[in-house]
Each structure stands twice: as structure tokens, then as C-alpha cells.
Amino acid sequence: MSHPLRVAAAYGWRLLVVGAAVYAVFVALGRFHLVTVAVFLGLVITALLGPLTDLLARWLPRSAAVTAALLIAIVLLFGVLSLIGADVAGAWPGLSQVFTGGVARIERWLEGPPFHLQHGALAHFQTWLSHFVSSNRANLINTAVSGVGRLAEVLTVAVLAVFCSIFFLHSGTQMWQWFGGQLPERGRRPVREAGRAAWTTFTGYTRGIVLIAATNAILVGVALFLLRVPLVLPLAVLEFFAAFIPLIGSPVALAVAAVVALAARGPLVALLIILLIVVIGQLEGHVLHPLVMSRAVSLHPVVVALAVICGGVTAGVLGAVVAVPLVSVAWSVYGVLRS
């Protein structure tokens, strides 16, 4: 056997072993996906509330500082949700009339050039939709019932995530030191350095993406307010959470805003919001990401796009959200271990 063939065979079986190990890890994570998601969310909460907890710990005991930071976060979260509910409830009586007139306006617009839609096409579509709902009522009810089970899973994951974050915030450093102490002597230093690099990258990405999402939400909220589009606060919050999916999240959220603007304010305002999609995409890609993420994440845009697509294909929206931070952490750990 020639030397190049022996080298290729040696690398080949090693790659097969590594691939099998990675596959086994992902299968195990998939079997316990609720626990995996809860731990991931616990790490996100820890990354976001860590600075506040450290600040409060200067004047309070560590346990009291953790409790105060979590209470502040919970109050802010429920405050935003209550504002959204009040906004939707207050605007709902007028929205029905606005959207009724908006649908008629859209139908007249589509009947003209360049679409030349037949008169009554939307009415036929509404009739078909009503018939579809009535004929598939049993399936829809079953879906709603299964949604209740999903809600229970979401609440379980949320409670477990908060539970994990309490201990991560209180004694996460000691927990990692204990883990490193269980390793052989020669393996402790590489694991310690890799763990430090991984946590630095993860916290940098988490705080950076929150800052970018908040900036996008503020810009969208101001633009929608100036254009007098209804449901400004819910659409801005939708933009905030959608920005956690790089490249595709913000355009999808703004597309929803464009549909609302089309029904409520007409085609011109909807066209302005479509233009806003382009402006925010350029701002996010060429200003915010290089400025905020440069020290935390150094991934090529092609790698980010492939990570988001692969994560979305394998695990849906959740996979698209966690793909980029996981790839970033893996790359930073590889860089530390290689050196």
C-alpha cells in the first residue's frame, strides 16, 4: 500500500470515529431535547443577568443579588407583555373596521394593473377558507388540544431554565472548577482555557445579539409610529425576537408589518416598510454586526447562513436560533485547543 493511501486511510477512520461520536451526542441531545433547551436558556439568562448580578453583589449577599436580578428581569418581561396586551385590546375595536376596509382596498388594488385579479377572487378565497375550517374542524381541535400539551412543555422548560440559571449565577464558577478538578492533571489546563474561551464567546454573542435586536426593534417601532401603522408595540416586539435568527429573522418580521400596513394604510406605506427591510438589513449586516460582534464572533457570513439553514432544517426555529452561537463557541474552543 502506497504512503498517500495509508495516510488517507488513517485520516479516514479517525474522521469516521469523530463523526460517529458527534452523531451519538446529537442523538442523545435529541432524546432529551427539553432538558437541552432548558440548560441552553439557563445559560442565556446567566449571560444576560451576570453583569447585573455582579453589580448587585457589591452591596448584597450573592444569593440576594441573584434573587433581585431575576425578579427585575421577570417584572420587566411581564411589564412588556402587559403593555402588548393592553395595546392590542385597546386597538382591537377600531382594527376590525380598519382591516375590513383594508381588505376591500387591497382587492381593488389587485384588480388593477399589473395584477388584473378577477373581481370577487378574494371573496371566493374567504368562502374556500370557511369551508376548509368547517370540514377540518376535528383536526383543528386536535391540533389545539396538542397545543395545550406544548404549552405545558414550554412552561416546564421555562421553570427548569430559571432553576438552572439560579445556580449558574450563584456558583457557576465553582461548578466549573469542580468539573475541571475531576479530570486528569494534564487535561485540566486545556479544559479550563477552552471553557473560558467558550463562555467569553457565548456571553459576547448573547449580549451582542440582544443589543442588535433592541436596536432593530427601536428603529422599526419609530418607523411604524411615524407611518401611523397600527399595532406598533407588538410589531416592534416581534422584530426584537425575530432578530435572534440572523439574516432571515428581521425580514420575516418586517414582512408581517408590511402586510399589516398594506391592510391598514395602503400600498404606499407597505412599500415604504419593504424599503425599510432593505435599510435595516444593510445596517445590521454592515454596521451593527461588525461593530458589536467583532470581538465575540468572527464567522464569515457564508458560515452564518449555512449554520442558520442547517439548524433550521434539523431542529426548526429553535435550531436556527442556537446554530450560530454553537458554531461560534465550537470555533473559539478549536482555536484555543489548536494553540
Side-chain angles (χ1 to χ4, degrees):
M1 183 181 296
S2 62
H3 179 70
L5 188 58
R6 287 198 302 270
V7 172
Y11 278 106
W13 73 260
R14 288 178 172 85
L15 289 175
L16 288 176
V17 172
V18 172
V22 172
Y23 177 76
V25 170
F26 276 98
V27 168
L29 293 178
R31 290 295 183 92
F32 303 98
H33 62 281
L34 294 180
V35 178
T36 304
V37 172
V39 173
F40 177 81
L41 292 178
L43 292 174
V44 170
I45 296 172
T46 305
L48 294 178
L49 298 184
L52 178 60
T53 304
D54 294 336
L55 180 63
L56 294 175
R58 296 180 180 180
W59 301 282
L60 299 174
R62 187 71 184 181
S63 57
V66 171
T67 304
L70 287 173
L71 288 177
I72 292 173
I74 292 172
V75 168
L76 288 176
L77 177 62
F78 280 98
V80 171
L81 293 178
S82 63
L83 285 177
I84 294 175
D87 186 33
V88 174
W92 191 257
L95 282 177
S96 59
Q97 298 178 357
V98 170
F99 279 104
T100 300
V103 170
R105 189 187 306 115
I106 293 172
E107 187 172 7
R108 290 194 301 270
W109 177 59
L110 292 176
E111 289 173 0
F115 300 100
H116 299 289
L117 190 70
Q118 293 183 357
H119 180 70
L122 291 182
H124 292 310
F125 175 75
Q126 292 175 0
T127 304
W128 173 84
L129 183 62
S130 300
H131 176 70
F132 174 80
V133 171
S134 61
S135 60
N136 294 273
R137 187 173 302 167
N139 293 332
L140 294 176
I141 291 175
N142 291 333
T143 303
V145 172
S146 64
V148 175
R150 291 289 184 181
L151 179 61
E153 291 182 355
V154 170
L155 293 177
T156 302
V157 169
V159 172
L160 184 57
V162 173
F163 181 78
C164 292
S165 66
I166 291 173
F167 290 96
F168 293 159
L169 288 168
H170 184 268
S171 55
T173 304
Q174 291 84 349
M175 294 167 65
W176 182 252
Q177 290 175 351
W178 175 87
F179 173 77
Q182 310 307 308
L183 300 175
E185 184 66 32
R186 63 177 183 178
R188 293 177 184 176
R189 183 175 178 274
V191 170
R192 184 173 62 251
E193 297 295 333
R196 184 181 295 111
W199 183 242
T200 300
T201 300
F202 185 81
T203 54
Y205 177 85
T206 303
R207 296 165 188 170
I209 198 67
V210 168
L211 180 60
I212 292 173
T215 305
N216 287 355
I218 292 172
L219 293 176
V220 169
V222 171
L224 295 179
F225 176 78
L226 294 177
L227 294 173
R228 292 185 296 166
V229 176
L231 301 178
V232 173
L233 184 59
L235 291 174
V237 173
L238 176 63
E239 167 65 24
F240 175 80
F241 287 106
F244 284 87
I245 305 178
L247 302 180
I248 62 175
S250 293
V252 171
L254 287 175
V256 175
V259 173
V260 174
L262 180 62
R265 299 284 295 151
L268 180 60
V269 177
L271 185 62
L272 291 177
I273 292 181
I274 293 175
L275 180 63
L276 184 65
I277 295 176
V278 179
V279 172
I280 288 184
Q282 295 298 315
L283 179 66
E284 181 179 346
H286 294 89
V287 178
L288 293 178
H289 268 282
L291 185 64
V292 176
M293 296 289 196
S294 58
R295 286 188 289 180
V297 180
S298 57
L299 296 178
H300 194 276
V302 174
V303 177
V304 174
L306 292 176
V308 171
I309 293 173
C310 293
V313 170
T314 55
V317 176
L318 181 63
V321 171
V322 305
V324 177
L326 287 180
V327 173
S328 303
V329 168
W331 180 250
S332 64
V333 169
Y334 169 73
V336 169
L337 295 180
R338 181 183 59 183
S339 61

